[in-house]
Amino acid sequence: MKARLPKGFNNGGSNTNIQQLARQAQKMQEEMDEATKELDIKEYSAAAGGCAVNAVVTGALEVKSIEISKDVVDPEDIDMLSDLIIAAVNEAIRKARDEKTATMDKISGGLNVPGLF
C-alpha cells in the first residue's frame, strides 16, 4: 500500500513548505514581542465611585498610581474606600489585558499554539 501525501506536498516541496511556515512563525513571534514591549509601557486608567478613586496600571499589570478624592476618605468607612480602590485597579487591569489579548489575536489571527507565543 502506498501512502499519499496531502495536495501541495511533494517530494521536493515539503521542505520548502516547512521552511516557509517556520519563517512565518518567526515573523509572527517577532511582531508579538514588539507589540508586548509597546503594550507593557502603555498606561491604562479606570475610576470607581463616580471618579472618587482613579487607578493607573501599566500594560505589564503594575500599579502606577492611585488617586483618592478627599470626599471619599471617611475614617469610619475604610471598607468602602478599600472596595473602591480594588474596583478601580481591577478595571484598569482588565482594560490592559483586553487590549493585549486583542492585539495578540490580531497578529496571530487567533492562532493559539501553547509554548510558541
Side-chain angles (χ1 to χ4, degrees):
M1 183 174 219
K2 197 172 185 182
R4 298 177 72 147
L5 295 172
K7 189 175 181 179
F9 283 90
N10 57 27
N11 290 338
S14 63
N15 284 341
T16 304
N17 290 336
I18 291 171
Q19 290 171 351
Q20 182 180 10
L21 183 60
R23 279 192 300 272
Q24 288 174 337
Q26 183 178 8
K27 181 182 177 196
M28 187 184 311
Q29 182 65 52
E30 289 169 359
E31 289 176 9
M32 292 181 121
D33 289 345
E34 183 64 32
T36 297
K37 287 177 189 175
E38 290 175 13
L39 291 170
D40 280 352
I41 61 173
K42 190 171 179 178
E43 294 182 359
Y44 301 86
S45 62
C51 295
V53 174
N54 291 299
V56 177
V57 300
T58 65
L61 305 182
E62 296 175 350
V63 177
K64 182 138 185 182
S65 69
I66 296 177
E67 296 175 7
I68 302 170
S69 170
K70 292 178 183 179
D71 299 339
V72 76
V73 178
D74 180 359
E76 302 297 319
D77 196 2
I78 298 298
D79 290 337
M80 183 200 57
L81 180 57
S82 295
D83 290 344
L84 291 174
I85 292 169
I86 290 168
V89 170
N90 285 337
E91 178 62 16
I93 288 172
R94 186 196 59 74
K95 287 179 179 182
R97 282 189 183 151
D98 288 352
E99 183 170 352
K100 185 171 187 174
T101 299
T103 300
M104 295 304 152
D105 284 350
K106 188 171 124 181
I107 292 170
S108 70
L111 179 67
N112 184 10
V113 180
L116 183 58
F117 308 116

